[in-house]
Amino acid sequence: MEQAKERFVCIHGHFYQPPRENPWLEAVEIQDSAFPYHDWNERITAECYASNSASRILDGDSRVMDITSNYAKISFNFGPTVLSWMELAAPNIYNAILAADKQSMEWRSGHGSAIAQVYNHMIMPLADARDKRTQVVWGIADFQKRFGRFPEGMWLAETAVDLETLGILAEQGIKYTVLAPHQAEAYRALGTEEWTETEIDPTRAYLCKLPSGRSITLFFYDGPISRAVAFENLLDSGEALAGRLVGGFTEDRDWSQLMHIATDGETYGHHQKFGDMALAACLNHIEGNNLARLTNYGEYLELCPPAMEVRIRERTSWSCAHGVERWNSDCGCSGGIQGWNQQWRTPLRASLDWLRDRLAKAYEQKGRELFKDPWQARDAYIEVILDRGMEQSERFLAQHAARELSKDEKIMALKLLEMQRNAMLMYTSCGWFFDELSGLETVQVIDYASRALQLAEGIVEGNVEKAFLDRLKEAKSNIPDHHDGLWIYQNFVLPIRLDLVKVGAHYAFSSLYEEYDEHSQIYCYAIAKEEYTKFSTPDAVMAMGRIHMASEITEEEACLTFCVMRIGSHDFKGGVKEECDPGAYAAMREEMSGAFDKGLYTDLVTLMDKHFGTHSFSLINLFSDEQRKIINQIIRQNMEEEIASYQEMYERSRPLMEFVKETRVPVPQIFMAVAQPALNEALRHAMSEDEVDADQVRRIVGQIGSWGVAIEEPGTEYFMRRHLEEMSGQLVQDPSDLKLIARMQKYMDLLNEIPINVVLWQMQNDYYQLAKTVYPEYLTRSAGGEEGAGIWLDAFRKLGETLRFNLGAVLPQA
């Protein structure tokens, strides 16, 4: 029953990152622009997703009073593709998000704060009916697997909407979705005939009746406040945000009002630094002062069912003033770089639509031979995506195959389904959102198209790839050197395209630097070592072998023979072929090992051409992370002497330069060029010692200040942060270690003397955990007269003060 005149507040965060995985590896490779993090998923997780799972509430002196999960108190959705990455790459944050949803159910009358999302953020009004349905079905299944319940609501990518999409949501059991206020065309009281077309009041729920006879509830967020949060610095103050929300209530309304906003979740910490803390302060202020009741959409819907009906404006979204043209044409919605246009959007979408339809036709024709119902099989394929084990694939095929399939037919069936998965991933909305055709996100969707085309080989008639590229060529880049879609495909996409032979080349070259077990894993490929031999001298190393490898995605397999070598520090050559004849391998090994033993390196290249037809593989064939790892190793080996010489030159020249400085003669730039790397290296080394020499650190910091040398950020900050977090993690494992607490205290005291701001988020989390669990035990032990407990308490309290905790608020008995 509706509770009259009650006031509700709901803040929705749309947490989403586009899929960034290399389609051939099913993994995110290193992205230099995210430095010092490995990739953008990792960086945004650190800056936003993690901080919202444990956000600080500060007192007036900027000391931590409490640490709280924002997710448990707001409404939120996470994109399935970023959650699949997070489950493996950031499991603690992933589990904290799931736990927050469970907590919200306890607080919100059994209604969880998490809602689902259409699977890979496809712009639904621009999709065909089959893709719309699969996006919803996959989004629901992904949510159920992760959150352990059916989702009440579902977020539409960019809130882009049409009636067909709403119909599919309702058909699949979704109760509600959230839209922008301008997406409402008209509304009326239920049971009345006259429609009102004035701006909609966002403080209530609305029922949308659908052509199918079904209906779905729609919530229209408050536009001005949402914009102020996203673009007008309202997050500068949590209390100001609370004031705007509460200020939206009025006595003129005769229903229980819902003040609610919706923004990108990344606003809270990534787009706006410390935005998560402003959000936490806002929620704390509203709740602590009883200004309104915090809720989520599911709870509000149960308490206050719709009394009004609404009609929507079809083919509209929250981020394009022209409907959904931002993902279809040069509508003017972009970052607005002067002189650039987005005319490439239309031919890019037309090319992908053409490809989608060709692949769908081939899928249906070939799929009828293998599946009971090809499209039902595609909808159900999410079961395999969520569990890539071979057993799950076998269960899936047993359930959906039209008959018992041969080994080759199983591979064909999986390739068909993967072809369809990549054909949907190529519509991820970020491919059209920004300015440039050759941008990271747009190249990513073309990568997915390339993978779909590769999987279609032998399935689709004719030269589909050529026909696709003829169309893609019509998409023109704003950067003259990048020409058009064809050039981008040839120069950015094809170089990362893989087959089993190229994966074998990676294994071969990386084996020069690391030892592989008999059975090993390289991303989504399983590799069994049949034979392997490595030869080394101070000047060169050579490896050869036979391996059996298989894709865990499509179950395609091959047996490969390889020989690779490194001459000197960085001259790599190698050959790989799809053949596994033990006799031929033995003959090759004898011939090439003989030449290697004699140091006949030039002859080895000739022999490689003889046995492999070419030595066309090199270090460039390594996947990005391993390539970077090996190149960095080579650089370190070659630069260690240079770094040492920098430090020697600095120390040798410093007394003279100090004299020069005193005379006010300009210090030579060559000395400053030496001082920068020498002092930064000295600082990192000194701060990484198990027992840090405080006097030495102070000397180095003094010299950094004296010479005006810049500390190399963010690399040095990241280095020190990780060192601190390692100590903090050790303390969680053994809280009684007083020596460790003393080391941490000493490290923190030194950090306060270094001109660098180290992020203490994880360390504060660990301290907070110990304060809530271990600290009370020591209080009891101290009260019982245990002498050592008092010493521990003093050390722990001092560390808390250094970490900027308000111990009186966090630890009432402190």
Side-chain angles (χ1 to χ4, degrees):
M1 181 179 296
E2 182 175 336
Q3 301 178 21
K5 294 290 186 179
E6 190 165 6
R7 294 179 169 187
F8 296 88
V9 165
C10 176
I11 295 174
H12 183 83
H14 165 50
F15 295 92
Y16 162 75
Q17 287 300 299
R20 304 182 189 278
E21 285 77 6
N22 177 315
W24 291 271
L25 300 178
E26 298 294 334
V28 181
E29 295 188 284
I30 191 167
Q31 295 173 317
D32 291 326
S33 57
F35 181 81
Y37 298 94
H38 176 269
D39 55 72
W40 278 102
N41 280 358
E42 185 178 295
R43 178 169 174 172
I44 293 171
T45 296
E47 294 175 349
C48 177
Y49 305 151
S51 57
N52 279 284
S53 73
S55 190
R56 282 82 175 114
I57 295 176
L58 306 180
D59 65 12
D61 295 321
S62 297
R63 296 178 302 170
V64 179
M65 298 171 59
D66 198 7
I67 296 179
T68 184
S69 169
N70 287 336
Y71 298 120
K73 295 184 177 183
I74 66 172
S75 169
F76 67 89
N77 72 280
F78 264 90
T81 52
V82 75
L83 281 182
S84 67
W85 170 87
M86 195 183 297
E87 183 178 11
L88 298 176
N92 290 341
I93 308 307
Y94 174 80
N95 289 323
I97 292 165
L98 304 188
D101 180 65
K102 289 183 171 59
Q103 177 67 74
S104 70
M105 293 177 71
E106 295 179 16
W107 290 344
R108 309 288 180 246
S109 313
H111 299 275
S113 288
I115 68 173
Q117 179 199 288
V118 292
Y119 186 75
N120 65 272
H121 219 254
M122 187 183 291
I123 300 300
M124 297 292 270
L126 295 174
D128 66 19
R130 284 199 186 105
D131 282 358
K132 286 177 180 175
R133 183 176 306 279
T134 303
Q135 286 284 304
V136 173
V137 169
W138 283 16
I140 290 172
D142 186 274
F143 185 95
Q144 285 182 294
K145 186 254 186 182
R146 300 184 191 286
F147 291 92
R149 63 179 179 85
F150 191 88
E152 293 184 90
M154 176 168 275
W155 183 266
L156 299 175
E158 303 288 336
T159 75
V161 70
D162 61 4
L163 285 174
E164 184 176 55
T165 297
L166 294 180
I168 293 171
L169 293 182
E171 173 196 296
Q172 295 299 319
I174 297 297
K175 293 181 181 179
Y176 66 84
T177 191
V178 183
L179 300 178
H182 65 261
Q183 294 180 271
E185 181 180 69
Y187 60 92
R188 65 186 178 188
L190 285 171
T192 63
E193 294 186 3
E194 186 174 348
W195 290 94
T196 300
E197 296 187 1
T198 58
E199 185 176 344
I200 200 162
D201 188 325
T203 63
R204 67 195 316 167
Y206 292 83
L207 193 70
C208 182
K209 295 181 179 179
L210 302 168
S212 64
R214 296 185 177 91
S215 62
I216 188 169
T217 297
L218 302 178
F219 291 95
F220 297 90
Y221 62 78
D222 186 287
I225 302 178
S226 298
R227 282 193 297 275
V229 168
F231 306 114
E232 299 168 15
N233 300 319
L234 184 54
L235 285 180
D236 286 352
S237 166
E239 288 192 15
L241 173 57
R244 282 289 300 272
L245 289 166
V246 174
F249 293 119
T250 173
E251 295 296 330
D252 296 337
R253 301 185 181 107
D254 62 355
W255 60 86
S256 292
Q257 300 166 62
L258 174 67
M259 283 302 302
H260 64 113
I261 61 173
T263 64
D264 285 335
E266 291 74 20
T267 303
Y268 305 106
H270 172 59
H271 296 315
Q272 297 196 32
K273 194 173 184 180
F274 307 124
D276 66 291
M277 291 195 290
L279 175 59
C282 166
L283 298 168
N284 185 62
H285 184 73
I286 291 172
E287 201 167 35
N289 293 282
N290 200 29
L291 301 178
R293 174 173 169 177
L294 297 181
T295 190
N296 58 40
Y297 292 114
E299 182 185 49
Y300 181 85
L301 183 57
E302 179 185 342
L303 296 174
C304 310
M308 305 291 287
E309 181 183 355
V310 69
R311 281 200 321 247
I312 64 163
R313 298 184 193 277
E314 291 202 80
R315 295 174 67 86
T316 57
S317 65
W318 75 345
S319 57
C320 178
H322 314 90
V324 292
E325 290 308 300
R326 184 168 194 160
W327 303 274
N328 193 44
S329 71
D330 185 13
C331 69
C333 289
S334 70
I337 295 179
Q338 189 171 6
W340 283 17
N341 66 68
Q342 285 69 53
Q343 294 173 11
W344 53 267
R345 288 173 176 164
T346 300
L348 174 62
R349 181 165 290 276
S351 301
L352 296 180
D353 284 349
W354 179 88
L355 179 59
R356 174 199 62 199
D357 294 342
R358 296 304 177 278
L359 298 182
K361 182 179 178 181
Y363 172 77
E364 186 166 39
Q365 289 175 343
K366 190 66 178 177
R368 285 199 190 111
E369 301 174 18
L370 303 174
F371 301 116
K372 298 171 187 174
D373 183 317
W375 299 110
Q376 283 185 9
R378 187 180 82 161
D379 283 349
Y381 187 58
I382 185 65
E383 302 166 13
V384 178
I385 296 169
L386 292 171
D387 178 3
R388 284 297 190 179
M390 189 172 289
E391 298 82 2
Q392 178 61 41
S393 295
E394 290 296 322
R395 284 193 296 270
F396 171 85
L397 291 173
Q399 181 179 354
H400 292 279
R403 51 184 166 75
E404 187 172 348
L405 302 181
S406 67
K407 182 177 180 180
D408 288 343
E409 286 175 327
K410 287 179 181 178
I411 292 172
M412 175 63 73
L414 293 172
K415 287 177 68 175
L416 283 168
L417 290 161
E418 280 298 307
M419 178 183 76
Q420 282 296 298
R421 180 174 77 96
N422 282 275
M424 284 194 292
L425 289 170
M426 70 189 187
Y427 283 109
T428 300
S429 68
C430 293
W432 288 263
F433 192 82
F434 301 105
D435 285 311
E436 168 53 18
L437 179 66
S438 61
L440 188 68
E441 296 81 5
T442 309
V443 172
Q444 182 77 29
V445 301
I446 302 173
D447 285 343
Y448 289 124
S450 180
R451 177 59 175 148
L453 282 162
Q454 184 186 41
L455 290 160
E457 290 175 4
I459 296 173
V460 183
E461 295 179 0
N463 193 336
V464 182
E465 186 163 24
K466 181 181 183 305
F468 169 72
L469 293 177
D470 287 342
R471 289 165 171 79
L472 191 63
K473 193 175 190 297
E474 297 304 310
K476 306 300 181 182
S477 170
N478 289 293
I479 300 172
D481 287 348
H482 293 171
H483 301 289
D484 52 40
L486 173 61
W487 188 94
I488 289 166
Y489 191 88
Q490 292 171 335
N491 290 273
F492 293 163
V493 177
L494 287 182
I496 71 164
R497 189 166 173 169
L498 296 176
D499 55 22
L500 292 178
V501 171
K502 288 183 178 179
V503 178
H506 172 93
Y507 175 93
F509 280 110
S510 59
S511 77
L512 295 174
Y513 288 86
E514 52 186 274
E515 298 295 328
Y516 284 110
D517 295 330
E518 293 302 309
H519 294 275
S520 55
Q521 189 84 20
I522 294 179
Y523 296 106
C524 57
Y525 299 91
I527 300 174
K529 191 191 298 182
E530 304 288 343
E531 291 188 64
Y532 183 82
T533 306
K534 183 156 67 174
F535 307 88
S536 297
T537 71
D539 300 321
V541 59
M542 180 175 71
M544 60 185 72
R546 296 188 304 118
I547 54 174
H548 182 273
M549 63 188 325
S551 164
E552 294 187 337
I553 305 298
T554 63
E555 298 184 9
E556 295 169 278
E557 58 185 14
C559 194
L560 306 175
T561 297
F562 67 84
C563 179
V564 294
M565 60 183 175
R566 172 182 58 79
I567 303 170
S569 64
H570 61 277
D571 186 8
F572 292 84
K573 304 182 187 303
V576 184
K577 61 182 177 181
E578 196 167 349
E579 179 186 295
C580 235
D581 180 357
Y585 171 76
M588 178 200 71
R589 182 179 62 188
E590 182 177 355
E591 196 169 13
M592 297 197 72
S593 61
F596 186 87
D597 289 342
K598 296 173 184 176
L600 303 175
Y601 301 142
T602 304
D603 290 356
L604 281 171
V605 176
T606 304
L607 288 171
M608 198 171 288
D609 289 344
K610 169 186 172 183
H611 289 286
F612 293 95
T614 178
H615 59 277
S616 58
F617 291 101
S618 69
L619 195 65
I620 201 167
N621 297 106
L622 278 167
F623 307 146
S624 296
D625 283 75
E626 187 73 14
Q627 184 185 80
R628 186 66 54 84
K629 175 181 168 184
I630 290 174
I631 289 174
N632 284 340
Q633 186 174 335
I634 294 169
I635 291 172
R636 278 196 303 272
Q637 289 171 349
N638 284 269
M639 291 294 290
E640 280 177 358
E641 291 184 9
E642 283 77 359
I643 291 171
S645 66
Y646 272 138
Q647 292 174 318
E648 182 183 347
M649 288 169 61
Y650 169 76
E651 292 297 339
R652 188 172 62 244
S653 303
R654 182 171 55 82
L656 173 60
M657 291 303 109
E658 286 176 348
F659 170 74
V660 170
K661 189 177 180 183
E662 287 178 7
T663 64
R664 298 187 180 180
V665 172
V667 175
Q669 283 300 310
I670 190 169
F671 173 77
M672 299 304 298
V674 168
Q676 171 94 13
L679 286 172
N680 272 275
E681 178 64 24
L683 179 62
R684 282 194 292 267
H685 179 76
M687 291 296 286
S688 64
E689 296 288 341
D690 288 338
E691 293 296 333
V692 177
D693 185 334
D695 291 336
Q696 181 188 13
V697 170
R698 291 188 180 104
R699 281 196 300 272
I700 296 168
V701 172
Q703 291 172 28
I704 285 173
S706 174
W707 295 113
V709 168
I711 292 181
E712 295 167 355
E713 291 194 71
T716 300
E717 184 278 331
Y718 190 76
F719 173 87
M720 293 181 180
R721 186 202 319 172
R722 289 296 185 237
H723 192 71
L724 258 177
E725 288 173 355
E726 185 178 339
M727 288 192 285
S728 181
Q730 291 171 3
L731 187 63
V732 170
Q733 295 301 315
D734 184 8
S736 65
D737 191 340
L738 270 170
K739 289 184 178 179
L740 181 57
I741 295 178
R743 281 176 54 207
M744 294 170 67
Q745 183 67 54
K746 181 179 180 181
Y747 204 95
M748 286 299 303
D749 290 342
L750 284 171
L751 278 181
N752 288 332
E753 300 180 33
I754 300 173
I756 189 170
N757 293 316
V758 174
V759 176
L760 300 175
W761 183 82
Q762 184 58 54
M763 194 175 180
Q764 288 178 334
N765 289 350
D766 292 340
Y767 184 90
Y768 185 83
Q769 176 188 336
L770 294 173
K772 293 295 187 182
T773 56
V774 177
Y775 180 81
E777 296 177 16
Y778 274 87
L779 280 176
T780 302
R781 289 159 63 174
S782 179
E786 184 179 323
E787 182 180 352
I791 298 172
W792 186 93
L793 287 170
D794 289 342
F796 189 74
R797 288 169 184 149
K798 183 179 179 183
L799 182 61
E801 291 169 358
T802 307
L803 289 170
R804 299 293 298 164
F805 275 90
N806 179 336
L807 298 179
V810 176
L811 313 172
Q813 304 175 69

